[in-house]
Amino acid sequence: MLYADVILPVPLDALFTYSVPPQLEEQVRRGMRVLVPFGRSKSYVGVVLRLHDQPPKGYQVKELTQLMDQLPMLTEQQLKQWQWISDYYMAPLGDVMKAALPSGLKQEEGYRPRTETYIRLTEAYRNETTLHVALNLLARAAKQQEAFIAYLQLSRWDTISGDQTDEPVQEITREELMNSSGATADTLKALERKGMLETYEVEVSRLNHDGEPHPELIKKMSAAQQEAYNQLLFAMMKHRVTLLHGVTGSGKTELYIHLIQREIDQHRQVLYLLPEIALTVQIMDRLHKVFGSRMGIYHSKYSDAERVEIWQKQLSAHPYDVILGARSAVFLPFQRLGLVIVDEEHETSYKQQDPAPRYHARSVAIMTALMQDDKQGPPPAIVLGTATPSAETYHNAMTGKYGLVELKERYQGIELPDIQVVDTQDLQRRKMMSGPFSPLLLARVREALEQGQQAILFQNRRGWAPMVECRQCGWVPRCEHCDVSLTLHRSMNQLTCHYCGYTYRVPTECPACGSKDLRGKGYGTEKLEDQIREILPMARIARMDLDTTRTRQAYERIISDFAAGRTNLLIGTQMISKGLDFDRVSVVGIVNADSMLNYPDFRAYEHAFMMMAQVSGRAGRKGKRGLVILQTRQPDLPLIDQVVRNDYQGFYRTLIAERQAFRYPPYYRLIYVMLKHQKDTVVETASHELGTRLRQWFGPRVLGPDKPAVARIKTLSIRKLVLKLELGLDIGQVRQYLKMAQQQLMQDKRYASLQLYYDVDPQ
């Protein structure tokens, strides 16, 4: 008897064994999708991980119902990748499957190919004699005869003499015939009823195959770019992973294009990862001109059916040579991967926060490339590109683990922006601020717009106001399900919880004291847009945040309008800080730097430096030095000075000394153990019990339990334990101890509904 160990998309840390029916034994293979019974009445689509002849003990084995594929949907490489993610991030393989596969590949009838209706002559009328008969029969039905003749002309049957029994020369869609002849659906139905025409369905791709590749459009590199490119090739020979540290606007994308073409010339594939969908929209245009139909795009704003078709194409005889995508593109199958580019590698968007697996796409991409089978050719190279490397990546480059190539000058010699710091606390004291705007910021933005240039305003909070407050008694509306205040969205006239998404009616009076004096406190992007519209009525404003970019088309419209100059003032959250390239931006305003600094997280200053440096880099591209107005209540902070001087090395030295002193990455590995339960008393007791068990093995390496900054989300109370582990520890052994402690804890009936999960390498 043959048995299959199957991965099912359920959050259970186990494989499920099924017997293979004798009639399927010859066809079933590792990596295929199968339909299996699960529980009393459910069926699931699973993936075969292992085939063997060992019957499981202790339960009645069920038989798998059906093979979903003729060939495996997952390569050996992908199955190895899934296993690594499951082990490293301590997540069940079922959760990895849920994250990796498009929905259409996880459901019994999830994916339906797109079909188009074509029309053709019925067999009875496929010769010259019967065609004349048909035309005579239609003599009294002018519209039908007209449609029939139009069909003969479009399909080229009117050029055929003698008998013709093969298919017509030209295939014609029903829509094409209706558009060309003006025939109605009823007219065509009548011709079908008379047995002269018949329809048939043809499967058509949802993917765009347009665009011939044009490698001749690749630009000639500047001397600095050419030098960096040569150094990159040399570094890639010595190191599997190389950091390309290039200042904003230095033309890193141009280097990537040259590297991609080099791989294509050697018949290898490239995975090009970007942290934000907004970025793929802009870079897609540049790459499409060069690589045309050789390039595919893959991210969550594409329909599920499109993502299934890209997956299938990557397994076909003619896959895309280049995949440009956000985080999830790391899961796609590749047949001859030669290069992985992780652009803006420092970005936290590469880390999946919820649900499990809480993977980091940069780490997964590196490991996927490192694990590639030698039979697939030379091992892939990995290039990590950024102007502001993460502490871990830069440390690896400084210690020789990664290669390092630096590109220190901007393309075409354009200077880095002039950054001017504005002390908003002083201006508020002197009553010189217009809401959140300093006089200097307003003057420079107005000047830029009057001169036909563009400006960007960066505020890392969306909505109208982060909170609403009663001016009489201080009451603040809070979410019923989460331990947070509600954000006011005035355009939708509602209060929203940014943690669970729940919406509330805006109160007309305070429920605590009855006062009607309720006011929004603080500034979100929506409020900035409203206020700047009053102050600068000539501005053509676009706003880019989570509320305005719900669809792929919304991203594309906002970016293309700003790039074309149809809008001249862009207001946005961190989305606008990520590598977008606009030629006419001369002024960037960082409205409130303090909102990034005052955050209870060991990475807060690192994230703040990166965000400010990146958003500053949007200023000044073609022919003119840009200006950045940085507004803060803490102008004397060393970090602000480091941003002003673009002193990444100085910032890194300060940061790395603190990390070493306080035992943080890159010197230590962090694992957060998160516990959640409906009852606060239960999660409090469970977290202390687990902490005691873990200290038996890990001693002082265990911190907590503590309440996180937001200690209740979606009605669940939360506690957090932190493990700080030396890099030399055996991570497999650590995993084993954690699982043992979890199993011991969960044996207690009080914790039956307790949720416990791990966040490895939290961001």
Side-chain angles (χ1 to χ4, degrees):
M1 178 69 78
L2 185 66
Y3 297 95
D5 290 345
V6 176
I7 305 167
L8 293 182
V10 293
L12 299 171
D13 199 6
L15 293 170
F16 301 89
T17 304
Y18 293 87
S19 62
V20 180
Q23 68 272 21
L24 298 179
E25 284 188 5
E26 292 299 312
Q27 295 127 279
V28 68
R29 283 160 63 190
R30 200 166 120 90
M32 277 185 172
R33 293 177 310 138
V34 289
L35 188 66
V36 295
F38 188 76
R40 287 185 182 170
S41 55
K42 277 193 171 180
S43 284
Y44 274 112
V45 173
V47 172
V48 176
L49 183 66
R50 199 165 72 93
L51 292 163
H52 58 88
D53 58 5
Q54 301 299 311
K57 292 169 186 168
Y59 63 90
Q60 184 69 39
V61 182
K62 292 180 182 176
E63 201 173 68
L64 66 83
T65 315
Q66 182 187 335
L67 290 183
M68 304 291 289
D69 310 307
Q70 292 177 322
L71 293 168
M73 263 294 162
L74 280 112
T75 64
E76 286 296 320
Q77 196 67 25
Q78 286 172 292
L79 290 171
K80 278 200 273 183
Q81 180 204 62
W82 284 20
Q83 192 67 64
W84 181 83
I85 291 170
S86 173
D87 290 345
Y88 187 82
Y89 292 104
M90 303 180 67
L93 270 168
D95 282 340
V96 181
M97 177 184 169
K98 279 197 279 189
L101 286 181
S103 294
L105 295 179
K106 290 179 293 203
Q107 295 160 9
E108 190 175 349
E109 295 171 5
Y111 167 71
R112 287 184 182 169
R114 178 187 283 176
T115 58
E116 206 161 352
T117 305
Y118 278 70
I119 203 154
R120 65 188 170 200
L121 285 174
T122 57
E123 204 165 327
Y125 288 93
R126 288 182 197 171
N127 65 65
E128 200 171 8
T129 308
T130 51
L131 275 179
H132 285 300
V133 171
L135 289 167
N136 289 335
L137 288 172
L138 297 172
R140 292 187 178 182
K143 287 187 176 175
Q144 291 175 34
Q145 189 183 57
E146 206 176 296
F148 194 73
I149 290 168
Y151 169 75
L152 295 177
Q153 289 169 342
L154 284 168
S155 63
R156 300 190 193 146
W157 270 93
D158 62 335
T159 64
I160 294 166
S161 58
D163 285 1
Q164 170 76 28
T165 53
D166 296 332
E167 284 296 302
V169 176
Q170 192 75 38
E171 286 195 300
I172 303 299
T173 66
R174 185 170 61 184
E175 192 178 358
E176 200 178 340
L177 178 57
M178 288 166 71
N179 290 342
S180 300
S181 66
T184 64
D186 287 343
T187 302
L188 297 185
K189 280 279 180 206
L191 288 167
E192 284 181 59
R193 281 195 298 273
K194 287 177 178 175
M196 295 174 182
L197 294 179
E198 65 184 6
T199 60
Y200 62 103
E201 299 296 311
V202 173
E203 194 174 311
V204 292
S205 172
R206 293 173 172 87
L207 307 180
N208 180 11
H209 297 287
D210 296 343
E212 283 295 310
H214 288 286
E216 70 278 4
L217 293 178
I218 298 177
K219 294 177 190 169
K220 192 173 185 299
M221 290 185 282
S222 68
Q225 285 175 324
Q226 187 66 56
E227 173 66 19
Y229 180 73
N230 294 340
Q231 286 180 21
L232 257 178
L233 295 182
F234 187 67
M236 285 156 65
M237 287 162 61
K238 292 176 68 180
H239 299 272
R240 294 292 298 276
V241 185
T242 302
L243 169 63
L244 173 59
H245 183 198
V247 295
T248 54
S250 57
K252 293 185 287 295
T253 308
E254 210 53 53
L255 266 68
Y256 300 150
I257 290 171
H258 281 262
L259 287 172
I260 292 167
Q261 187 58 48
R262 181 175 177 270
E263 293 301 316
I264 289 173
D265 291 343
Q266 293 174 19
H267 308 291
R268 293 199 295 254
Q269 293 172 294
V270 178
L271 171 61
Y272 186 154
L273 288 177
L274 288 157
E276 194 71 63
I277 295 164
L279 264 180
T280 65
V281 171
Q282 200 178 42
I283 288 178
M284 176 180 68
D285 293 338
R286 288 177 69 180
L287 296 189
H288 195 263
K289 284 172 188 162
V290 177
F291 303 112
S293 58
R294 290 186 134 165
M295 182 183 78
I297 316 287
Y298 191 87
H299 58 62
S300 60
K301 286 288 189 285
Y302 276 72
S303 74
D304 187 68
E306 285 174 295
R307 283 184 282 157
V308 170
E309 289 192 13
I310 287 183
W311 190 287
Q312 291 171 335
K313 183 172 172 63
Q314 289 309 92
L315 290 167
S316 73
H318 303 286
Y320 286 118
D321 291 319
V322 186
I323 289 287
L324 175 69
R327 189 172 65 212
S328 57
V330 79
F331 293 116
L332 280 171
F334 288 89
Q335 299 179 45
R336 46 179 200 281
L337 187 63
L339 174 66
V340 177
I341 296 166
V342 184
D343 199 11
E344 309 295 345
E345 68 81 27
H346 64 278
E347 274 293 343
T348 54
S349 317
Y350 281 125
K351 172 80 168 163
Q352 161 107 343
Q353 301 297 345
D354 271 310
R358 292 165 180 82
Y359 69 96
H360 198 300
R362 179 187 63 209
S363 302
V364 174
I366 290 171
M367 286 309 299
T368 302
L370 293 177
M371 289 188 300
Q372 179 162 300
D373 199 325
D374 292 342
K375 286 180 276 188
Q376 292 174 279
I382 303 112
V383 174
L384 310 177
T386 178
T388 53
S390 64
E392 290 90 331
T393 296
Y394 200 68
H395 178 73
N396 284 336
M398 290 288 95
T399 53
K401 185 178 177 183
Y402 294 173
L404 174 64
V405 174
E406 295 185 299
L407 187 53
K408 293 182 177 178
E409 64 180 65
R410 278 184 148 191
Y411 186 63
Q412 296 180 334
I414 294 165
E415 289 182 88
L416 284 163
D418 172 25
I419 302 179
Q420 296 182 15
V421 179
V422 173
D423 183 349
T424 52
Q425 191 165 16
D426 177 54
L427 289 173
Q428 276 167 342
R429 198 168 50 244
R430 294 193 278 152
K431 296 189 167 46
M432 292 175 69
M433 295 285 286
S434 299
F437 307 114
S438 65
L440 179 66
L441 178 58
L442 290 175
R444 293 294 174 264
V445 170
R446 182 182 281 112
E447 202 175 278
L449 302 189
E450 285 170 351
Q451 292 173 3
Q453 292 162 347
Q454 292 174 305
I456 289 175
L457 295 179
F458 170 69
Q459 171 72 343
N460 206 27
R461 285 182 186 275
R462 63 188 172 103
W464 173 267
M467 62 190 282
V468 170
E469 185 181 63
C470 171
R471 295 297 290 265
Q472 198 71 36
C473 71
W475 173 82
V476 172
R478 303 183 74 80
C479 179
E480 292 172 13
H481 313 288
C482 309
D483 190 16
V484 287
S485 57
L486 297 169
T487 300
L488 174 62
H489 290 256
R490 210 164 79 167
S491 62
M492 297 179 280
N493 193 35
Q494 65 188 25
L495 294 166
T496 303
C497 173
H498 284 180
Y499 281 82
C500 70
Y502 207 81
T503 57
Y504 299 81
R505 193 172 51 81
V506 179
T508 52
E509 61 179 49
C510 173
C513 71
S515 167
K516 293 191 185 313
D517 193 3
L518 300 173
R519 297 188 197 177
K521 213 174 173 195
Y523 293 87
T525 47
E526 193 185 325
K527 192 171 182 179
L528 289 193
E529 180 186 10
D530 209 60
Q531 294 202 349
I532 204 83
R533 215 179 276 284
E534 284 182 26
I535 299 167
L536 302 173
M538 84 290 274
R540 301 186 302 279
I541 300 170
R543 174 161 57 91
M544 190 165 164
D545 55 30
L546 201 60
D547 299 320
T548 62
T549 55
R550 298 286 179 191
T551 64
R552 184 168 102 214
Q553 290 72 24
Y555 273 107
E556 289 169 2
R557 191 191 68 251
I558 293 166
I559 288 168
S560 64
D561 283 355
F562 195 65
R566 289 187 285 274
T567 53
N568 58 7
L569 179 57
L570 181 62
I571 297 169
T573 54
Q574 60 183 359
M575 285 181 187
I576 63 171
S577 71
K578 299 177 182 180
L580 294 170
D581 183 359
F582 301 111
D583 290 339
R584 292 189 287 269
V585 174
S586 60
V587 177
V588 167
I590 298 173
V591 177
N592 180 10
D594 306 302
S595 66
M596 294 176 274
L597 296 167
N598 305 331
Y599 198 75
D601 187 270
F602 79 97
R603 293 190 194 271
Y605 271 33
E606 182 182 13
H607 291 163
F609 177 88
M610 289 167 174
M611 224 177 283
M612 286 190 269
Q614 289 286 341
V615 80
S616 299
R618 303 311 112 220
R621 289 292 164 124
K622 279 196 174 167
K624 189 184 174 189
R625 189 182 189 195
L627 173 68
V628 177
I629 310 294
L630 194 161
Q631 298 189 161
T632 175
R633 297 168 67 86
Q634 307 170 75
D636 299 327
L637 270 183
L639 180 82
I640 300 294
D641 181 55
Q642 287 158 352
V643 171
V644 169
R645 292 186 292 110
N646 192 42
D647 181 13
Y648 176 82
Q649 270 77 18
F651 160 74
Y652 172 76
R653 283 193 298 273
T654 308
L655 180 79
I656 211 73
E658 287 178 359
R659 295 280 182 89
Q660 190 166 21
F662 296 104
R663 299 189 302 162
Y664 279 106
Y667 296 101
Y668 284 75
R669 172 176 283 135
L670 291 188
I671 299 176
Y672 290 171
V673 186
M674 309 297 294
L675 298 95
K676 294 182 178 180
H677 197 274
Q678 291 276 0
K679 292 182 179 173
D680 194 73
T681 51
V682 172
V683 80
E684 175 73 8
T685 312
S687 61
H688 279 284
E689 278 189 33
L690 184 63
T692 303
R693 290 179 197 280
L694 292 177
R695 283 190 183 90
Q696 290 173 5
W697 292 308
F698 298 110
R701 298 179 185 89
V702 182
L703 304 180
D706 291 310
K707 285 186 178 183
V710 179
R712 186 167 149 270
I713 296 176
K714 297 180 183 176
T715 72
L716 296 174
S717 292
I718 307 167
R719 294 295 184 276
K720 178 171 85 172
L721 289 151
V722 177
L723 263 70
K724 286 186 176 179
L725 306 170
E726 303 93 310
L727 298 182
L729 289 182
D730 178 350
I731 199 69
Q733 194 73 52
V734 168
R735 231 181 352 255
Q736 214 173 327
Y737 286 145
L738 286 168
K739 293 273 173 71
M740 280 165 60
Q742 180 179 349
Q743 285 164 2
Q744 289 168 7
L745 184 75
M746 298 308 248
Q747 284 168 3
D748 190 324
K749 288 178 183 173
R750 289 176 300 164
Y751 307 137
S753 56
L754 181 77
Q755 293 180 24
L756 192 155
Y757 65 84
Y758 307 95
D759 189 358
V760 179
D761 302 340
Q763 293 293 304

